[in-house]
Structure formats: structure tokens, C-alpha cells
Amino acid sequence: MSDDYSLSIRCVANTCLPTKWGKFRALGFERRADCKLETAVALIMGDVMSGTPLVRIHSECLTGDVFGSQRCDCGQQLNWAMQAIAKEGSGIVIYERQEGRGIGLMAKLKAYELQDQGFDTVEANERLGYDADLRDFVLPANVLRLFGITQIRLITNNPQKIEALEGAGIKVVQRWNCDVDPSPDAISYLLTKKTRMGHILSSV
């Protein structure tokens, strides 16, 4: 196993987080890699140590998760996942600080400007000098391994996320589709994810 997947993380906070979906434990994690500090929050409901937990790994999207942007489906996916976990009675949401598929908030807004001019999300990132997706999933994989979890049911439409987790030793035994009803403003964004990035979407 690569050193990238060593348990080089630490839990820096552990508290109760009551939400409209029920009570979660909120654990804050840090990982130092390549001279930078990576952070993530794990929201845990119920007993996730027995059986195969339901897991959502969600990349931060300030515009969608907080401001309710209709340009993407991120906020809808997060809500769907938390509802699904609450209905299940247990599960984990790992919220990773990788805004704009890893390019950061300001670059993401610049990419939006380019999309306003007719470029798709992949083209916009590339014109700014970035890859289409800069994310890795080392930190959430390490969080799961820290809990002794090696098999999960994953809420995702992104096959690359499954590949990354399995490369880190986390077996995805089942994929739960997270295909929400898209806003008209999100159709072109979702079509790009489907046709250029291989996301599994039936809504577009």
C-alpha cells in the first residue's frame, strides 16, 4: 500500500450535531500532505462499525450547499444523502474541503465566468490551467480506515470515486445512485459530467 494511504491523519474535534435529519456526531480531521493542511468533517449517525455502512463522500460546494445555486446538483445531492442515511438509521457523510473539484472557490467563480461565455466545465477549468478534476480521496479513505471500515455502500454517481476508494483498500460493495431532479440551469453542467467525465446520470 502506498504511503499516500497511510493513516497520517488526526481527529481534532468530536461533537454532537443535531440536524433536521436527526443527530450526528461531527468529527473534524486534519491531514498534512505536500506542505499543506487538508481538512474534512465526518458526520456519523448510528452504529457504523457493524455491517456495511452507507457512505457519502461530498466535496465542498459553497455555492450549491450554502447559497442554493441552481448551476449544479451538489446541494441536492448532499440533502439526498443525509436523508437516505437518516432513513437507514446509520451512515457517514465525509465532507471534504475540495471546492470546485479541487481548484478553490475563486478559481471556480472564474470558471463560472467562462461558462457564461459558452465553455463547459471541463473547458473552463482547462482554460484556467487546471485539470478537469484535481480531487483525490486519500483523506476520506483514511478516515474510513481509521474506523476499521473496509467495505461500504457508496452514494455516488461518479465511477472515479469508486476506483479511488478501492485503490485505497476500501471495497465498494454497492453503489447507491444519487440522481436528483436537475434545475434547468444545471442541465448543461450535468450533461458535461455525463458525457465527458463518465458520471452515471439518468436525469439528463
Side-chain angles (χ1 to χ4, degrees), residues 8-203:
S8 56
I9 61 171
R10 65 189 187 109
C11 182
V12 297
N14 184 342
T15 187
C16 177
L17 187 69
T19 74
K20 64 182 180 180
W21 299 283
K23 288 187 177 181
F24 289 79
R25 296 299 303 177
L27 286 76
F29 289 93
E30 292 181 346
R31 173 180 180 264
R32 290 203 173 272
D34 299 326
C35 300
K36 67 178 182 179
L37 182 66
E38 298 177 354
T39 59
V41 175
L43 300 179
I44 300 176
M45 176 179 280
D47 179 12
V48 296
M49 305 300 288
S50 61
T52 304
L54 187 59
V55 174
R56 167 71 180 173
I57 295 174
H58 190 87
S59 295
E60 178 184 44
C61 177
L62 178 72
T63 49
D65 299 340
V66 177
F67 300 148
S69 170
Q70 298 293 288
R71 295 183 72 139
C72 66
D73 60 344
C74 302
Q76 291 171 284
Q77 286 196 60
L78 179 60
N79 290 340
W80 192 98
M82 294 189 74
Q83 286 178 330
I85 287 170
K87 185 176 180 180
E88 184 92 349
S90 64
I92 308 172
V93 174
I94 300 177
Y95 194 90
E96 201 171 10
R97 305 294 304 276
Q98 297 197 115
E99 182 79 45
R101 298 195 196 110
I103 67 175
L105 179 59
M106 295 301 110
K108 174 181 166 180
L109 295 178
K110 292 177 183 178
Y112 276 179
E113 282 191 281
L114 290 170
Q115 291 167 42
D116 292 341
Q117 299 169 31
F119 297 98
D120 67 30
T121 56
V122 172
E123 293 165 342
N125 275 25
E126 290 173 346
R127 287 182 71 87
L128 291 171
Y130 300 106
D131 291 337
D133 194 338
L134 291 176
R135 294 175 296 174
D136 68 51
F137 301 100
V138 174
L139 180 52
N142 283 353
V143 169
L144 293 170
R145 290 174 58 207
L146 190 64
F147 288 116
I149 295 169
T150 57
Q151 293 192 122
I152 63 172
R153 292 170 293 146
L154 186 66
I155 301 172
T156 188
N157 302 325
N158 184 357
Q160 294 177 356
K161 195 175 289 185
I162 296 172
E163 182 180 342
L165 288 173
E166 294 201 329
I170 306 296
K171 177 67 176 175
V172 178
V173 300
Q174 187 180 43
R175 183 185 73 85
W176 280 40
N177 193 44
C178 194
D179 207 359
V180 298
D181 291 331
S183 156
D185 293 310
I187 295 296
S188 62
Y189 164 80
L190 294 175
L191 281 171
T192 299
K193 288 211 294 187
K194 181 176 183 176
T195 60
R196 301 200 61 184
M197 304 183 74
H199 289 217
I200 303 167
L201 296 165
S202 60
S203 59

